[in-house]
Amino acid sequence: MSTIDLETARRVAKLARIAVPEENLPALAGELSNIINFMEQLNEVNVDGVEPMTSVTPMRLKRRQDGVTDGNMQAKILSNAPDAREGFFAVPKVVE
């Protein structure tokens, strides 16, 4: 099984941009080693003939009709505008 040394733990912390005090590096190295060991255990599992899945429950996402609408909220949206004219946002002219 793999073991992570202190220098590797220090480098991982730097790459992850997390500040790890020197006295906490041995604990971090131990936890990283445990993660690597667990991943190696998972690689030993025989998964031949097992279909990949995205969820543990066989259910599909709820579907809705994909219809294009204008939202029917023009007045509500324009009520937030500091200046609205003829159904549009009015903005100051910026190009001459």
Side-chain angles (χ1 to χ4, degrees):
M1 300 283 177
S2 298
T3 332
I4 303 294
D5 61 354
L6 292 181
E7 190 54 42
T8 304
R10 185 179 292 113
R11 186 161 185 252
V12 168
K14 180 180 179 186
L15 290 173
R17 293 191 168 134
I18 55 175
V20 178
E22 196 68 30
E23 64 271 7
N24 292 350
L25 281 176
L28 177 63
E31 288 192 29
L32 291 173
S33 293
N34 289 339
I35 291 169
I36 298 291
N37 291 336
F38 182 69
M39 290 171 57
E40 288 175 354
Q41 286 178 2
L42 290 177
N43 284 333
E44 295 172 5
V45 175
N46 182 8
V47 292
D48 292 338
V50 177
E51 289 289 322
M53 60 183 185
T54 57
S55 174
V56 294
T57 57
M59 61 184 242
R60 295 180 54 118
L61 293 175
K62 293 181 181 174
R63 308 270 185 207
R64 64 172 173 79
Q65 183 179 5
D66 191 14
V68 178
T69 66
D70 64 359
N72 296 324
M73 298 189 320
Q74 181 182 21
K76 196 185 243 187
I77 293 170
L78 289 176
S79 69
N80 293 321
D83 188 10
R85 297 180 198 150
E86 301 173 15
F88 297 97
F89 290 100
V91 295
K93 185 176 181 180
V94 293
V95 179
E96 302 256 351

